[in-house]
Amino acid sequence: MTRPELNIAIAGGGLMGRLLAWRLSGKGHAITLFEAGSFDMPPGACHTAAGMIAPLSELVHCPLPVYELGLQSLRVWPQWVKELELQTGSPVDYRQSGSILIAHPQDRTELLQFQQELAAKLGTESQQHFQWLERTGLQNLEPNLERFDQGLYLASEADIDNRRLLPVLLTQIKRRNAQLREYTPAECMPGQIRHADGFEQFDCVIDARGLGAKKAVKGLRGVRGEVMVVETPEVRFQRPIRLLHPRYQLYAVPRANNQVVIGATEIESDDLSPISLRSSMELSSALYSIHPAFAEARILETRVNCRPATMDNLPVIEHEPGLIRVNGLYRHGFLLAPAMVQQVESTLQQQTLQVT
């Protein structure tokens, strides 16, 4: 029997909401996508993030399920990007060139400890996943890391330009005649969406509102992140760089037009006020310590947002007939999103089979 088309509401127009709308509309379902803010400038963390898909880099500091879901997403992303680019004719800028971890000589123990902990978690297969680099090997991959003598190369990792991906997803969702309802805060109930104009009925409601679902998802909290975007033609990286430090891990992700996205801060707060002076100074000084030419880089943008996190920092899918909630992707949104979308698709299919 052919599965019937469903009338599905998705609340939340961020990364999860857009991926779900794209995937489910491609399967013949009628989609209505609600967003509390603007689709062009979504208020969620997806618009602020650096778009890293780095399960190995996160493994040392995150629970094992995050790593396993990340590996699943790492397998899915190339296929999905190819589909999107073919469907829309627009580049997404997905890059799987790995990532490099470095530390200054005085912090060399941070790099050694990271390597040891990563090897311990990976076990006998560790040598397949990362490579220790001395100066020559490091220079061959990243000539601008001339201040550093050693590093770790995680060849399988990837990153994606979120500022290109999000509008491409929206373009394809529109082409499939999904109903887009921006500036429409929505409350989610089984088979119902409630908003300022009343109630609407659906076969299924998917709640992907992030922190907008704080009252509905037990223990959900905000974790503040601060990011800067700088521009300089003097330093060119080929892949994301992570600087290990006793107090933080700075990441520097190269983008088009000589831009670099940098960040490191992680603050237990749902404060969305502008970036603090201390954070901007720490980010700038850490970036300058990687290469002195960054001293003349121009600061194009500062970004602040809050990631939705559960008490154990693990993503969650909750469901009952007519309602699915997906949340808690924390700082791993682009790492986990495809795997979580596939889990939601599976849950939706099970609910549909039970009804029919």
Side-chain angles (χ1 to χ4, degrees):
M1 179 181 295
T2 303
R3 186 178 60 188
E5 179 184 283
L6 299 177
N7 186 19
I8 299 173
I10 301 173
L15 178 63
M16 278 297 303
R18 293 185 194 208
L19 284 174
L20 283 164
W22 171 56
R23 299 297 298 173
L24 294 174
S25 62
K27 295 183 176 182
H29 299 301
I31 302 298
T32 303
L33 182 61
F34 292 86
E35 168 55 51
S38 164
F39 282 117
D40 292 330
M41 292 287 289
C46 66
H47 199 247
T48 305
M52 290 181 290
I53 306 163
L56 287 166
S57 294
E58 296 294 333
L59 177 57
V60 170
H61 302 291
C62 73
L64 186 60
V66 170
Y67 169 70
E68 293 170 340
L69 288 168
L71 288 182
Q72 181 180 338
S73 292
L74 196 58
R75 293 189 292 268
V76 171
W77 268 121
Q79 176 187 342
W80 285 10
V81 166
K82 184 177 180 180
E83 289 180 25
L84 266 175
E85 290 180 336
L86 286 173
Q87 290 166 1
T88 63
S90 300
V92 173
D93 279 9
Y94 172 84
R95 168 178 52 198
Q96 193 163 3
S97 300
S99 57
I100 290 181
L101 284 73
I102 53 175
H104 290 293
Q106 65 269 26
D107 300 324
R108 183 172 181 269
T109 55
E110 297 291 325
L111 192 61
L112 291 171
Q113 183 178 352
F114 190 98
Q115 180 201 25
Q116 292 167 2
E117 292 182 10
L118 187 58
K121 287 200 171 185
L122 291 171
T124 56
E125 298 181 355
S126 61
Q127 296 304 316
Q128 302 174 22
H129 295 282
F130 64 85
Q131 179 184 356
W132 181 268
L133 299 174
E134 298 295 342
R135 184 175 182 82
T136 300
L138 191 59
Q139 292 288 300
N140 287 339
L141 287 174
E142 293 289 351
N144 286 141
L145 293 179
E146 56 200 43
R147 286 187 167 185
F148 299 87
D149 294 325
Q150 296 172 319
L152 278 177
Y153 178 41
L154 312 180
S156 64
E157 297 194 326
D159 64 286
I160 193 167
D161 190 334
N162 58 324
R163 295 291 178 92
R164 294 201 176 188
L165 171 67
L166 293 172
V168 170
L169 280 169
L170 195 63
T171 294
Q172 186 59 16
I173 294 166
K174 289 178 179 178
R175 287 180 178 177
R176 290 177 174 170
N177 297 317
Q179 300 299 309
L180 302 181
R181 309 277 287 279
E182 63 182 352
Y183 300 110
T184 309
E187 294 297 323
C188 301
M189 293 161 284
Q192 278 191 337
I193 286 284
R194 181 175 65 187
H195 48 70
D197 295 327
F199 290 84
E200 291 186 49
Q201 302 290 328
F202 296 90
D203 297 317
C204 184
V205 172
I206 302 176
D207 185 349
R209 291 176 294 159
L211 283 176
K214 195 171 182 179
K215 294 180 179 179
V217 179
K218 185 178 180 180
L220 196 66
R221 73 191 201 281
V223 180
R224 176 180 166 99
E226 299 166 319
V227 172
M228 295 172 61
V229 182
V230 304
E231 178 187 23
T232 176
E234 302 299 321
V235 184
R236 295 181 183 272
F237 294 139
Q238 306 303 313
R239 54 188 55 80
I241 308 296
R242 291 182 184 243
L243 175 66
L244 303 185
H245 183 274
R247 288 198 301 111
Y248 54 77
Q249 286 190 37
L250 176 108
Y251 57 79
V253 182
R255 288 283 175 254
N257 302 318
N258 301 319
Q259 296 180 16
V260 182
V261 180
I262 60 172
T265 59
E266 188 172 307
I267 303 165
E268 288 287 340
S269 169
D270 56 7
D271 172 27
L272 289 173
S273 62
I275 190 170
S276 69
L277 178 63
R278 177 167 64 180
S279 294
S280 64
M281 290 176 64
E282 287 183 348
L283 289 173
S284 299
S285 61
L287 189 63
Y288 173 73
S289 76
I290 294 177
H291 197 288
F294 278 119
E296 294 301 318
R298 297 300 183 249
I299 299 174
L300 302 181
E301 182 183 354
T302 60
R303 308 173 184 172
V304 173
N305 221 304
C306 289
R307 305 100 155 190
T310 60
M311 296 308 294
D312 59 5
N313 293 334
L314 288 173
V316 61
I317 292 179
E318 301 173 346
H319 60 92
E320 57 184 291
L323 176 63
I324 302 172
R325 300 189 192 276
V326 55
N327 215 311
L329 273 66
Y330 185 33
R331 68 184 188 197
H332 308 121
F334 287 85
L335 175 64
L336 299 182
M340 299 303 291
V341 167
Q342 289 182 328
Q343 288 192 18
V344 172
E345 288 179 314
S346 177
T347 301
L348 180 64
Q349 183 177 15
Q350 292 172 11
Q351 286 195 2
T352 304
L353 291 173
Q354 290 172 1
V355 171
T356 56

